Structures are given as C-alpha cells and as structure tokens.
Amino acid sequence: MTVRTLTLGVAALAFLAAATPAAADPDDWDDAGTAVRWVLVGAALAAPAVQSDWNGEFQAIGSIGAATLVTTGLKETISKERPDGSDNRSFPSGHTSSSFAAAATLTNRYGWKVGLPAHALAAFVGASRIEADRHDVVDVLAGAAIGSLSGFLITRKRDDGVVIIPWADGDGAGLLIAGRF
C-alpha cells in the first residue's frame, strides 16, 4: 500500500462522511461514527504492516493503546452520565480518542497528505458521538486531546528530516517543529 493509495482512500472516506445527512437518526450517527473509527484504527495499523514498517506498527499500537488506556482509566474514575442517560461512562469519548490517536499516528508517520483527511474523519467521529447523543462537546474535546497527544508523542516520522514535538507548561502549549535542511 503506497502513501498515495492510503491518501486517496482516507480522502474518499472523508468525503462520504461529510455527505452524511444532518437529519439522520441518532442510531445512524452512532453506527457511522463507529464504522469510521474502525476504518481509521485499521488504516493506522494496516499501513505500516503492509509496508513491513514494524517500528511504525509498534508505534501505532502504542499510541492507540495509550489513548485507550487513559480514556478507560478516566471513564472508570470520573462518573459522568451520558446525554442519553444510558450509563455513567461519558467522559471522555473513547471513539474520539482512538480516532484521533489513529489520525495523529497517520499524520506523524506519513505526513499531512494522509493526516489531513484522517483528521477530518476523526472530527466526523467526534461530531457523530454528539449527534448520536452519546457525548457532549466536553467529552469529545477531551477524547480528541487524549488521542492527539498519544499519537503525536508516541509516533515518530518515518522521515527523520522533520520532527514535531508538542509541549506544554503552566503558561501555555504549542508545537515545536524542527527540520533538517
């Protein structure tokens, strides 16, 4: 699988996700968001495996796994009722955290041409969780932050010419971008 093929596939899925009607039933949103999440996780795991990039495979497993562990730990610790009242495991959104971990992994490993459509799909997953009445905006934003941080902190670029390092301190946060010319 080439990066170009992966880019086209992720872009096609982003287009299909954007075409979902806004008046869809909450169950339809739930199903669509779940399907797109599995596509993103599958792409993040399949892309390095197909290329025999075992370091990238290990990093993808690590970033998605870390996001899942942190999210599960928070869900067990913080009892927040879902908007639909189904249980008290609303915070943070697990679908969103794993989707953003996969998107960040794809971005960091293969660049923005793959990462931009992957992040569009991850944003769709977050929106679908709100539209399905499973999460509120805070749950989704927390999931996106957890997934993005795990993906960007654990996954390294395949090309070491550019490095992106997230940072935070008491006064703010940002990204340090360094390149070799």
Side-chain angles (χ1 to χ4, degrees):
M1 175 184 299
T2 66
V3 172
R4 183 178 183 148
T5 303
L6 185 61
T7 302
L8 292 174
V10 173
L13 286 170
F15 175 77
L16 291 173
T20 303
D25 181 80
D27 287 338
D28 294 338
W29 279 105
D30 191 27
D31 294 343
T34 299
V36 172
R37 173 183 73 161
W38 287 118
V39 166
L40 278 169
V41 169
L45 296 173
V50 168
Q51 299 176 43
S52 297
D53 175 14
W54 305 119
N55 192 28
E57 183 73 18
F58 180 73
Q59 291 172 14
I61 291 168
S63 64
I64 295 166
T68 301
L69 285 172
V70 169
T71 299
T72 302
L74 288 171
K75 282 181 177 291
E76 294 296 326
T77 305
I78 300 170
S79 178
K80 182 178 179 210
E81 186 176 7
R82 291 184 187 272
D84 67 0
S86 62
D87 63 34
N88 289 330
R89 296 181 42 120
S90 184
F91 183 84
S93 170
H95 281 65
T96 307
S97 69
S98 60
S99 296
F100 272 89
T105 294
L106 289 167
T107 301
N108 232 14
R109 198 78 185 157
Y110 302 107
W112 70 270
K113 289 181 181 178
V114 173
L116 187 62
H119 274 87
L121 287 173
F124 170 80
V125 171
S128 78
R129 303 308 289 162
I130 294 167
E131 291 295 324
D133 208 27
R134 300 289 288 162
H135 293 284
D136 61 28
V137 172
V138 172
D139 302 335
V140 167
L141 290 175
I146 291 165
S148 295
L149 280 173
S150 71
F152 282 118
L153 289 174
I154 294 173
T155 309
R156 296 288 166 247
K157 288 216 175 288
R158 192 166 188 182
D159 174 16
D160 291 330
V162 177
V163 177
I164 301 174
I165 303 169
W167 62 271
D169 62 20
D171 296 323
L175 290 175
L176 171 65
I177 301 173
R180 216 176 347 177
F181 300 97

